[in-house]
Amino acid sequence: MNIDTFLALVHTYCTQAGLPPAALENEHCVLLPQPGQAVILAWDAEEEEVLVLAPVGSEPVALDGESAAELLRDAYLGQNLAGAAAGIDPQTGGLVLWRRLPAYGLTADRLARSIQRTIVAAQACQGN
């Protein structure tokens, strides 16, 4: 897969999901598959992987010791985050759930399932 194939995959996903065409900026696209929930799809050419990122909320996260420990327990092997990993965006300070998808054999249907699982996990984190 290359950047053009990545764009074609994202376009197919957007068409199937009834979303407007995605605009590529610096090898990533920002989509709104659900109201109030952005998803970023990024192309990692070096690893030939698609990254799915779902910000949790829109504000920097303030974690006390117990909240941080709970997040780390949930993130352990993605067990309570539907297989996603968690991190703090160094630019915004916001919590982000993310997953890497090997590009080889990736279909729009598999991408859609991964996006949906990441969104559900991000929304569950907002409730905490």
Side-chain angles (χ1 to χ4, degrees):
M1 183 181 282
N2 59 29
I3 191 70
D4 294 327
T5 310
F6 166 72
L7 276 174
L9 178 68
V10 172
H11 177 73
T12 301
Y13 164 75
C14 288
T15 300
Q16 290 176 351
L19 298 172
L24 183 70
E25 185 175 312
N26 297 324
E27 297 190 346
H28 74 274
C29 306
V30 178
L31 308 175
L32 290 170
Q34 292 185 3
Q37 180 61 62
V39 170
I40 301 160
L41 299 179
W43 171 241
D44 182 341
E46 188 172 315
E47 296 297 325
E48 293 191 22
E49 293 178 327
V50 174
L51 283 82
V52 177
L53 301 101
V56 177
S58 58
E59 299 295 323
V61 65
L63 296 173
D64 60 21
E66 182 55 35
S67 297
E70 182 180 345
L71 176 61
L72 289 173
R73 281 191 295 273
D74 286 347
Y76 180 68
L77 301 177
Q79 65 187 9
N80 293 325
L81 301 177
I88 304 294
D89 183 320
Q91 294 177 346
T92 67
L95 177 62
V96 177
L97 297 190
W98 58 273
R99 67 180 74 236
R100 289 182 164 271
L101 305 173
Y104 181 76
L106 185 60
T107 65
D109 289 338
R110 282 187 46 224
L111 179 61
R113 283 192 303 274
S114 293
I115 290 170
Q116 184 59 33
R117 291 182 70 214
T118 308
I119 288 171
V120 168
Q123 290 173 338
C125 285
Q126 286 179 356
N128 295 341

